Amino acid sequence: MCNTENKKGKAPIGVFDSGVGGLTVAREIMRNLPNERIVYFGDTARVPYGSKSKDTVIRYSRQIIRFLRTQDVKAIVIACNTASALALEEVEKELDIPIIGVVKPGAKVAAASTRNGRIGVIGTESTVNSHMYSQLICSYQKDIQVYGKACPLFVPLVEEGWLGDPVTEQVAKRYLDELLPKGIDTLILGCTHYPLLRPLIERLAGERVRLVDPAYETAHELGLLLEEKGIANRGEKASGKEPYRFFVSDAADKFKHFANSILPYDIETTRKINIEEY
Ligand code: DGL
């Protein structure tokens, strides 16, 4: 392998989300691609993206990508379902490094795993209304029925830490009561926060329904992409000074606290930047 490739392999992956949710994606990258370094940006000042317009989410995504480029990232992962659904198609045209979102990997696996051709997608309002999951699923497999359901209360409940709370269970029942009678056999957890509710959703959905976690599928897809482009880090497990670096646009301490509760790694520093400058 030539030197330039080697050097590129050691560069970090840029991962971004509207806030803390994308840490579920960063977590899967840490678990499944332990050699890769990460620079994470959480847009905690402008969260949520899930109720914002396409133009706004594209503008925010462009700013974040400009910031991540200053960190010399070798590839970018849009860890946010909403930004993947609304902005990926636009921003990928403007980039000369690989970029992936979470929607396509989730859609691909769901299309391959359904037996009865009925798939449910839960996500933010913007993700569900974009119909991006259904478009992609149908591009892999025609004749699949996709049923979307926006679950806007899940994000604040997860951020409140009410993962096993009876209130969360009531809310989840109410949302799923609209989807489950459609006879779905596959359900996509189409929002960064939902993998944290997986045990509850799994129990309510029952064993006939297979859950698809786009965070996990994205880490897998990212590994393949890095190999294909010849930029996987072939060195040692990510270590040394700050293999994982975290930046936010606000409330750095709150972010750090949440991150330390879900990551297999203790964050020491979270830096606040002014994203509007990019
Ligand atoms: N990260 C967002 C997503 O996956 C959820 C939070 C938000 O609305 O910004 O769609």
Side-chain angles (χ1 to χ4, degrees), residues 103-243:
V103 172
K104 209 170 181 179
K108 194 167 153 191
V109 168
S113 83
T114 180
R115 294 284 158 261
N116 71 0
R118 289 165 177 267
I119 298 176
V121 179
I122 51 177
T124 63
E125 263 171 45
S126 299
T127 299
V128 170
N129 292 340
S130 76
H131 300 291
M132 194 49 93
Y133 270 109
S134 39
Q135 273 173 36
L136 287 166
I137 288 169
C138 294
S139 74
Y140 293 119
Q141 284 267 12
K142 293 214 165 24
D143 303 328
I144 292 188
Q145 276 298 103
V146 181
Y147 302 95
K149 174 73 192 149
C151 305
L153 294 175
F154 278 166
V155 166
L157 287 167
V158 168
E159 296 206 2
E160 201 57 32
W162 291 12
L163 303 185
D165 195 277
V167 170
T168 311
E169 175 151 355
Q170 278 298 316
V171 170
K173 268 197 188 128
R174 196 150 161 185
Y175 286 145
L176 294 179
D177 273 356
E178 276 187 44
L179 265 189
L180 297 176
K182 312 280 187 205
I184 56 168
D185 70 353
T186 304
L187 177 61
I188 302 178
L189 304 177
C191 172
T192 47
H193 292 58
Y194 301 179
L196 298 171
L197 294 174
R198 185 178 186 129
L200 171 65
I201 296 172
E202 210 153 37
R203 182 159 53 78
L204 295 177
E207 55 191 22
R208 277 189 43 248
V209 179
R210 181 184 167 193
L211 300 192
V212 173
D213 176 1
Y216 172 79
E217 306 306 339
T218 301
H220 176 71
E221 202 63 34
L222 174 66
L224 298 177
L225 180 71
L226 297 177
E227 287 297 338
E228 183 198 310
K229 301 283 179 199
I231 53 171
N233 191 348
R234 301 195 179 283
E236 298 286 299
K237 188 173 175 306
S239 59
K241 198 169 174 286
E242 288 197 292

Side-chain angles (χ1 to χ4, degrees), residues 1-174:
M1 182 182 294
C2 74
N3 266 342
T4 8
E5 266 186 344
N6 231 339
K7 205 172 147 218
K8 199 139 196 218
K10 290 200 170 75
I13 312 284
V15 178
F16 80 87
D17 177 49
S18 54
V20 292
L23 290 167
T24 57
V25 180
R27 179 173 71 170
E28 294 301 338
I29 299 173
M30 291 173 186
R31 281 178 181 155
N32 294 287
L33 304 172
N35 290 357
E36 299 300 338
R37 306 168 72 85
I38 295 175
V39 175
Y40 183 99
F41 178 79
D43 201 356
T44 45
R46 306 187 294 194
V47 67
Y49 283 11
S51 50
K52 298 210 163 59
S53 69
K54 184 171 174 149
D55 284 353
T56 300
V57 175
I58 291 175
R59 183 167 71 81
Y60 290 174
S61 302
R62 282 198 178 115
Q63 285 180 319
I64 297 168
I65 289 169
R66 279 198 285 271
F67 162 70
L68 289 173
R69 302 281 332 237
T70 68
Q71 303 298 304
D72 288 332
V73 297
K74 63 181 174 185
I76 291 177
V77 177
I78 306 187
C80 176
N81 283 260
T82 306
S84 302
L86 303 186
L88 175 63
E89 222 177 327
E90 204 53 40
V91 297
E92 73 183 344
K93 294 186 220 151
E94 303 159 3
L95 274 180
D96 57 357
I97 56 169
I99 179 165
I100 59 168
V102 286
V103 172
K104 209 170 181 179
K108 194 167 153 191
V109 168
S113 83
T114 180
R115 294 284 158 261
N116 71 0
R118 289 165 177 267
I119 298 176
V121 179
I122 51 177
T124 63
E125 263 171 45
S126 299
T127 299
V128 170
N129 292 340
S130 76
H131 300 291
M132 194 49 93
Y133 270 109
S134 39
Q135 273 173 36
L136 287 166
I137 288 169
C138 294
S139 74
Y140 293 119
Q141 284 267 12
K142 293 214 165 24
D143 303 328
I144 292 188
Q145 276 298 103
V146 181
Y147 302 95
K149 174 73 192 149
C151 305
L153 294 175
F154 278 166
V155 166
L157 287 167
V158 168
E159 296 206 2
E160 201 57 32
W162 291 12
L163 303 185
D165 195 277
V167 170
T168 311
E169 175 151 355
Q170 278 298 316
V171 170
K173 268 197 188 128
R174 196 150 161 185

